Amino acid sequence: MDKGETELLTPSKMIVIAGAMALLGACAERFGPDSGTFPVAAIRADMATLNLVPADFDRILEPVPSFYRWAPQDVPVALVMGAGLDRACARKTSAQLDQSLAELSRDSGIRFTRAADPAQAKILLELAAAPAAEKAFREAAPINLTETLRNPPTEGPKRWETWQLSDTSKKTIERAYVFDGRHYTENSSRNPRLNACKPFDFPQFLRYASWKLEIAPLNWGLEKQYTEAQLLTYDRMLLRIVNAPAVTPGASGREVAFRVKRALQ
């Protein structure tokens, strides 16, 4: 052997390699085989857009104590629009929701469907001058749920508000509510149509309501100063990972990071 080859096999380096292999083996034994798969091709594409490498998931995911998600992943969504909304805009907005649910279902692994009755929904979207359906929707939810997300309402006619209820013993998201007054205000039949029924960003709100905000993933996005387009990709990637068949409700960040890195090998 020449000197370069000898250095590759020094005892100290062999110890490091053996230690790393032992650590990987211990993790595999602790977490066991995957119960499902990850959408690897889609995750790789997102990583390329964000210039991520698999090791980055140690910082993004590993600090999270446990991940919450919809379970089962069949999530009916109801839409309530204020009576004063322009009729043509109301029809257009309703059709847009159907399209958004189909696209987001393909994109996230969550099976979003349309519910005609808010009483049968897990997510209620309300576009109106003021919340009217929220109270009944919340009161109909199981009493053992805990509020795991709340965005305090902004003031004025363009206010918006979001909350989420979860079963903390099962680590599952069970109900979510989104209110937006801006779309109604700008397209009310009583007011000039300022934006000619500009499309409502249903995917953004549905992703937000389907994710229990965690500090580590949030800090990563802030630290990298992602553009709006990159943030969309980042949020989409996280939702894909957390809702993959290989991840169970309550899985720790350490486990999810290990499983997704193993899938990307």
Side-chain angles (χ1 to χ4, degrees):
M1 290 185 179
D2 61 25
K3 185 175 184 296
E5 292 174 324
T6 302
E7 288 180 348
L8 291 175
L9 298 175
T10 57
S12 61
K13 289 189 176 183
M14 290 296 291
I15 290 173
V16 171
I17 293 171
M21 292 179 68
L23 180 60
L24 287 173
C27 288
E29 182 178 353
R30 182 193 311 170
F31 299 130
D34 293 338
S35 58
T37 59
F38 287 95
V40 173
I43 293 173
R44 285 191 186 279
D46 292 336
M47 291 173 65
T49 300
L50 299 169
N51 296 316
L52 296 177
V53 296
D56 290 330
F57 289 117
D58 292 337
R59 285 188 56 197
I60 296 171
L61 302 175
E62 197 167 297
V64 178
S66 56
F67 280 100
Y68 284 60
R69 55 178 269 181
W70 296 105
Q73 289 174 292
D74 297 289
V75 181
V77 180
L79 173 64
V80 172
M81 294 180 280
L85 189 65
D86 178 83
R87 291 183 179 182
C89 185
R91 290 192 297 270
K92 182 177 179 180
T93 301
S94 180
Q96 184 200 344
L97 174 60
D98 291 333
Q99 180 180 353
S100 297
L101 294 178
E103 292 175 352
L104 198 55
S105 294
R106 291 192 298 269
D107 203 40
S108 68
I110 305 170
R111 295 178 292 275
F112 291 105
T113 57
R114 186 75 178 265
D117 184 357
Q120 305 300 319
K122 287 190 174 182
I123 298 179
L124 174 60
L125 303 165
E126 187 168 14
L127 309 179
E134 175 191 14
K135 185 174 184 294
F137 179 67
R138 183 150 190 163
E139 289 177 347
I143 61 174
N144 63 325
L145 303 183
T146 301
E147 192 173 80
T148 46
L149 170 69
R150 184 163 188 91
N151 190 96
T154 56
E155 298 300 324
K158 298 182 180 180
R159 59 175 286 194
W160 71 282
E161 178 180 359
T162 308
W163 51 254
Q164 175 194 88
L165 302 177
S166 301
D167 186 327
T168 55
S169 64
K170 297 179 180 178
K171 304 296 189 292
T172 56
I173 301 171
E174 299 292 337
R175 295 289 188 277
Y177 171 78
V178 174
F179 170 82
D180 180 86
R182 178 172 184 168
H183 190 76
Y184 175 89
T185 300
E186 293 182 345
N187 296 286
S188 170
S189 58
R190 296 190 298 268
N191 297 317
R193 296 178 62 191
L194 303 178
N195 290 313
C197 200
K198 183 178 179 180
F200 185 75
D201 196 349
F202 287 114
Q204 176 186 2
F205 284 98
L206 289 168
R207 280 192 294 266
Y208 186 69
S210 298
W211 167 263
K212 181 177 178 291
L213 293 182
E214 299 288 354
I215 295 300
L218 183 62
N219 282 347
W220 179 275
L222 294 173
E223 177 185 320
K224 296 301 178 181
Q225 297 184 324
Y226 286 144
T227 64
E228 185 174 344
Q230 288 175 317
L231 281 174
L232 173 61
T233 299
Y234 183 61
D235 290 344
R236 183 176 58 196
M237 180 189 71
L238 291 175
L239 206 61
R240 278 185 177 137
I241 291 173
V242 174
N243 287 280
V247 178
T248 57
S252 69
R254 183 180 296 273
E255 177 183 349
V256 177
F258 170 78
R259 291 191 186 282
V260 73
K261 287 190 298 180
R262 181 168 64 183
L264 292 167
Q265 289 178 349

